[in-house]
């Protein structure tokens, strides 16, 4: 098994073999993993169920993308701070991957967030402008710092 991250670290963008099929990790929330198969069909499952599966294999890892935080790590975070972190994480996932974590399978990225056509700096600038226009004032510099911390430490 080729692992570029420690056992138990699963990251958005990783490709895994599970249940006889190859899936891409599309999202991580708490102990839930969102997978998308090669046909774009989504599925949700518990992290522990996935890792314990007899045929689980990490095929390749997107080193540097945020991993699932250790279990219980967020239990001590005050509710307002947790909600704020989850709010920004949703937007950072769109900046990183082009689509929000909860987007239906097969959703195409909006043009301003499409990684095929926009650099990460262009996507961050577009997200900062979008959030500011919707009432959450944030600079692209702040989003850039948040993204770096999120990639290094998770939520």
């Amino acid at each position: 098994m080729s692992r570029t991250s420690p056992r138990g670290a699963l990251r958005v963008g990783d490709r895994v073999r599970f249940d006889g099929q190859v899936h891409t990790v599309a999202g991580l929330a708490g102990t839930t993993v969102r997978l998308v198969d090669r046909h774009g069909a989504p599925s949700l499952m518990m992290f522990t169920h996935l890792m314990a599966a007899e045929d689980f294999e990490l095929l390749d890892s997107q080193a540097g993308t945020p991993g699932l935080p250790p279990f219980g790590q967020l239990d001590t975070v005050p509710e307002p701070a947790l909600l704020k972190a989850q709010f920004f994480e949703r937007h950072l996932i769109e900046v990183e991957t082009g689509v929000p974590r909860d987007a239906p399978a097969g959703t195409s990225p909006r043009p301003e967030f499409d990684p095929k056509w926009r650099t990460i700096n262009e996507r961050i600038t577009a997200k900062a402008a979008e959030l500011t226009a919707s009432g959450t004032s944030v600079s692209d510099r702040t989003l850039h710092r948040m993204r770096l911390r999120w990639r290094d430490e998770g939520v």
Side-chain angles (χ1 to χ4, degrees):
M1 185 179 326
S2 64
R3 293 181 188 270
T4 58
S5 56
R7 179 163 177 77
L10 200 58
R11 302 180 183 289
V12 173
D14 287 356
R15 288 183 339 111
V16 299
R17 184 178 322 279
F18 169 75
D19 199 23
Q21 295 182 17
V22 175
H23 301 268
T24 301
V25 177
L28 301 165
T31 60
T32 303
V33 179
R34 181 172 188 242
L35 300 172
V36 178
D37 70 16
R38 64 184 180 93
H39 302 291
S43 59
L44 292 173
M45 68 179 41
M46 298 296 293
F47 174 75
T48 52
H49 177 74
L50 177 66
M51 296 298 285
E54 188 173 303
D55 66 340
F56 173 80
E57 181 180 6
L58 178 60
L59 300 174
D60 55 60
S61 180
Q62 301 297 311
T65 58
L68 190 66
F71 300 122
Q73 181 180 10
L74 298 177
D75 290 347
T76 60
V77 175
E79 182 86 13
L82 180 59
L83 292 174
K84 182 178 178 181
Q86 290 170 335
F87 170 82
F88 279 106
E89 180 183 40
R90 180 180 191 283
H91 292 286
L92 290 171
I93 287 171
E94 183 174 19
V95 165
E96 192 75 25
T97 66
V99 294
R101 168 181 41 223
D102 55 354
T107 299
S108 296
R110 294 186 287 159
E112 62 272 28
F113 300 110
D114 192 335
K116 291 180 185 174
W117 304 107
R118 303 286 180 200
T119 66
I120 189 64
N121 288 333
E122 290 172 324
R123 298 190 314 263
I124 288 172
T125 298
K127 183 53 78 174
E130 177 184 83
L131 288 171
T132 298
S134 70
T136 302
S137 183
V138 63
S139 70
D140 54 340
R141 182 178 162 109
T142 297
L143 276 182
H144 183 71
R145 281 194 321 266
M146 284 179 168
R147 177 179 167 264
L148 292 176
R149 266 188 266 134
W150 174 69
R151 287 175 56 100
D152 290 344
E153 302 169 19
V155 177

